[in-house]
Amino acid sequence: MTKLLVISDIRSNSVNGVSTGHYVPVARMYAKLFAGIVNVKVAGGTVYANYFSDTELLSLPYSVSHTSLLGRLNILKNCRALFGYNKGNIIVMQHSAVVTALIGIFLFYHGNSNLYMILYNNEAKRSFISRCFFGLVKTKISGIICPNDDIGRLYNLPYCVVPDYIYVGDSNKQPLLAFEDKTYDFCIVGRIAPGKGVVECARKLVGSHYKILIAGKPENEILENALYEVCRKADNITLRFGYVSDEDYSSYLSQSRYTILNYQGEYSKRSSGVVYDTIFAGVPVIGCRCSALQFVEDEHIGYLYDSLDDFDVSKVMKCERYNDYLKAIDLYRAKHKEYRIKLEQFLKIKE
């Protein structure tokens, strides 16, 4: 049997038939990264049938929207199916239902594959239960894929530091518009949560001569109402509440000069798929200076501020500066070829 690389999402969260979070984009990324090098399959619950063909997909029995007792039992059943399907293969488990994943490894994985986990934070060692089960299954795990050395060292296993998203080519089918041809000066696109500081951005820019697009599904009604009240009389802000499709997401980025990521609290520390989506689409990032976005400044692919109140918007609204950011984005995307090679070697794909 030909060895497979299997990228799995054992929870496969589904909201009205839509997969939320990093999971589908990361699965697509792995499939594109290693196409022609190894056979890649995506393992996911029923919602994954909306994103992958029968030939691409290893179907797991359940998509789990709520982590109730029944939901966790269904995740464990997904673990049992995943490990049963894939004896002798390379399995990469996405950062999904981490504690339940550790229990699933303990119960159902018998060391007959090369098993890797993507871990973005300390969740696998955060609680007493997670520490116990991680200790029980540690010898079964071949390695950790993580965004920085601090996370890698925490687990005391072989680890590979790569960005959450690795550039696999220009998947943005929208035309690359010149600075002067953009519809919006700034966009904020994706799920609208309190920690993303969207209301604060709207207050900063409301009534200005800058054109703003805010599109996404608010996390709760209170947040939606607060944002609506700030923007309802503003001629310069376009509000589009609701789930943003892949096509609209791509279009909104294409039409915008910059994306604003005003991350606060937990969002300022954890990895962000939006920042990579934005950069890979050729759009510079404006954001609050924090660990999640520090590479934006380090790579000169956008602008970080210490305080939104002190952010002088006019600094980034010069065509020459914008074009400098675009040149830096091209250089940054070229570096991602090295990440693909690094990950290929870590996963021992060619052995």
Side-chain angles (χ1 to χ4, degrees):
M1 179 188 290
T2 303
K3 182 166 65 174
L4 296 175
L5 170 63
V6 180
I7 175 75
S8 67
D9 171 11
I10 57 166
R11 179 178 175 183
S12 303
N13 184 40
S14 174
V15 179
N16 298 322
V18 175
S19 173
T20 60
H22 284 48
Y23 307 104
V24 166
V26 168
R28 285 174 171 162
M29 180 192 83
Y30 270 74
K32 290 180 180 178
L33 277 176
F34 300 117
I37 300 172
V38 66
N39 290 327
V40 183
K41 292 283 189 178
V42 174
T46 52
V47 69
Y48 271 66
N50 297 330
Y51 300 92
F52 298 93
S53 68
D54 291 343
T55 58
E56 297 170 315
L57 186 62
L58 289 175
S59 295
L60 301 180
Y62 300 99
S63 290
V64 180
S65 300
H66 302 285
T67 52
S68 59
L69 177 58
L70 178 59
R72 293 183 189 280
L73 288 173
N74 287 338
I75 293 170
L76 289 175
K77 291 176 183 178
N78 280 349
C79 283
R80 183 174 61 186
L82 172 68
F83 299 138
Y85 291 157
N86 290 295
K87 296 178 180 179
N89 292 328
I90 302 168
I91 302 173
V92 177
M93 299 183 75
Q94 294 209 51
H95 187 116
S96 177
V98 172
V99 178
T100 310
L102 296 174
I103 297 171
I105 294 169
F106 174 73
L107 292 174
F108 304 119
Y109 179 71
H110 303 297
N112 46 26
S113 304
N114 290 325
L115 178 64
Y116 299 86
M117 296 186 76
I118 299 175
L119 293 172
Y120 297 131
N121 55 34
N122 67 348
E123 189 173 353
K125 296 191 78 172
R126 189 179 295 166
S127 67
F128 175 75
I129 292 176
S130 63
R131 289 194 297 272
C132 287
F133 276 99
F134 183 81
L136 290 170
V137 304
K138 182 177 177 180
T139 58
K140 297 184 176 186
I141 300 169
S142 300
I144 303 296
I145 300 165
C146 53
N148 57 60
D149 287 304
D150 289 341
I151 299 301
R153 287 191 290 263
L154 177 66
Y155 293 106
N156 197 27
L157 281 169
Y159 68 90
C160 180
V161 174
V162 291
D164 302 353
Y165 286 25
I166 299 174
Y167 185 60
V168 293
D170 190 4
S171 59
N172 177 25
K173 303 186 185 308
Q174 298 295 324
L176 185 60
L177 301 176
F179 181 85
E180 60 273 13
D181 294 330
K182 300 278 188 174
T183 304
Y184 304 103
D185 295 300
F186 303 102
C187 71
I188 302 172
V189 184
R191 188 168 65 89
I192 300 170
K196 293 186 176 182
V198 179
V199 175
E200 293 81 355
C201 280
R203 289 196 183 111
K204 165 79 174 179
L205 297 167
V206 67
S208 69
H209 62 273
Y210 301 108
K211 295 294 185 183
I212 319 300
L213 169 67
I214 300 175
K217 184 175 177 58
E219 191 172 277
N220 56 57
E221 189 174 345
I222 294 174
L223 184 58
E224 180 174 340
N225 291 338
L227 190 54
Y228 176 76
E229 283 301 313
V230 172
C231 301
R232 65 189 179 93
K233 294 183 180 180
D235 294 335
N236 68 314
I237 299 181
T238 300
L239 268 183
R240 294 177 182 165
F241 287 139
Y243 172 74
V244 179
S245 68
D246 290 346
E247 294 77 11
D248 285 342
Y249 191 15
S250 178
S251 176
Y252 295 158
L253 289 175
S254 175
Q255 295 174 53
S256 304
R257 293 186 173 111
Y258 295 97
T259 288
I260 297 184
L261 302 176
N262 187 39
Y263 289 160
Q264 312 293 321
E266 186 64 26
Y267 278 94
S268 69
K269 304 171 188 175
R270 70 190 198 190
S271 58
S272 165
V274 174
V275 67
Y276 291 105
D277 289 338
T278 301
I279 293 162
F280 294 166
V283 178
V285 171
I286 306 297
C288 185
R289 183 171 285 106
C290 59
S291 57
L293 300 178
Q294 185 56 48
F295 79 99
V296 169
E297 189 168 71
D298 295 342
E299 300 289 344
H300 310 292
I301 53 182
Y303 178 85
L304 301 184
Y305 51 79
D306 290 310
S307 167
L308 182 62
D309 291 337
D310 297 332
F311 170 41
D312 182 356
V313 181
S314 65
K315 284 186 176 181
V316 299
M317 298 310 294
K318 297 178 174 67
C319 185
E320 183 178 358
R321 184 166 191 168
Y322 175 82
N323 287 333
D324 286 342
Y325 288 143
L326 294 190
K327 292 174 185 176
I329 286 173
D330 284 340
L331 293 173
Y332 177 71
R333 292 189 300 195
K335 288 173 61 174
H336 278 235
K337 294 178 182 177
E338 300 170 13
Y339 294 129
R340 184 197 64 77
I341 294 169
K342 183 179 181 181
L343 189 55
E344 176 187 318
Q345 292 172 342
F346 182 70
L347 295 174
K348 301 180 175 63
I349 285 174
K350 290 187 175 180
E351 289 188 2

